[in-house]
Amino acid sequence: SQQGEEDPQALSIQEGENATMNCSYKTSINNLQWYRQNSGRGLVHLILIRSNEREKHSGRLRVTLDTSKKSSSLLITASRAADTASYFCAGAGDYKLSFGAGTTVTVRA
Amino acid sequence: GAGVSQSPSNKVTEKGKDVELRCDPISGHTALYWYRQSLGQGLEFLIYFQGNSAPDKSGLPSDRFSAERTGGSVSTLTIQRTQQEDSAVYLCASSFYRDSNQPQHFGDGTRLSIL
């Protein structure tokens, strides 16, 4: 079963704008991970935030985690056409990942 | 190889046939996972292998599904008597060891279509 839900399901933005997507999860986690999937490809790991962290940055990515609300957000700043993809959050328990349904992001040139 | 390799990349077969999907993990990765991704959906966990330990088969949807991992490396996922609802992309991932803080590295998947 899937861990939770992502919001929005789809997002269309102009190149240079920021993209924000949210994820809610249901059970306790050790960490939360975000992955990107380009059409017809596998998933690529973007960033991991541990349960005792509240915010993490990596390049143009910013992730927040609120364990009291069981939610996380991913912000992509200064988006590029190459950021067009589906983005998935995954809650990690002991070793399994439970994925959300994903947010499809389209960046218009 | 540099990444996780899956074969075939596409498979079309008739309902009732058996299919075998293959996964070559990254060299040195002891943990291997299989997931199923249905159209427009997230990933559904199927099975997990870690070294020589007994696999976690808790995600397999029916007894028509089985998987093995030979020599701690290559894994095959077998679906017997395929049904149309088995149509999906089957993704394999590996990680360095059994630890949720290790990112998983994914192959590009096998797109399975059951006619």
Side-chain angles (χ1 to χ4, degrees), chain A residues 42-85:
Chain A
L43 278 71
V44 174
H45 182 263
L46 294 176
I47 193 167
L48 179 154
I49 184 166
R50 296 175 190 249
S51 59
N52 61 354
E53 297 176 310
R54 292 297 166 257
E55 186 171 316
K56 196 163 184 179
H57 297 253
S58 177
R60 294 184 296 112
L61 305 179
R62 173 180 169 258
V63 170
T64 65
L65 180 65
D66 187 334
T67 53
S68 67
K69 296 181 180 178
K70 289 188 166 58
S71 66
S72 174
S73 68
L74 172 67
L75 167 69
I76 306 172
T77 60
S79 63
R80 306 166 181 169
D83 295 329
T84 294

Side-chain angles (χ1 to χ4, degrees), chain B residues 36-51:
Chain B
R36 178 169 70 177
Q37 185 176 30
S38 301
L39 186 64
Q41 299 296 310
L43 276 69
E44 173 189 12
F45 167 79
L46 296 177
I47 189 169
Y48 160 77
F49 295 91
Q50 169 59 45

Side-chain angles (χ1 to χ4, degrees), chain B residues 29-95:
Chain B
H29 281 193
T30 61
L32 187 147
Y33 309 77
W34 282 98
Y35 296 89
R36 178 169 70 177
Q37 185 176 30
S38 301
L39 186 64
Q41 299 296 310
L43 276 69
E44 173 189 12
F45 167 79
L46 296 177
I47 189 169
Y48 160 77
F49 295 91
Q50 169 59 45
N52 295 321
S53 303
D56 177 351
K57 304 180 181 180
S58 61
L60 294 179
S62 78
D63 59 8
R64 295 186 296 105
F65 288 72
S66 63
E68 63 177 20
R69 189 178 184 191
T70 55
S73 181
V74 171
S75 177
T76 55
L77 176 69
T78 301
I79 309 174
Q80 296 179 311
R81 304 180 303 282
T82 52
Q83 303 294 313
Q84 288 186 331
E85 61 263 28
D86 300 334
S87 295
V89 176
Y90 290 82
L91 290 160
C92 175
S94 68
S95 63

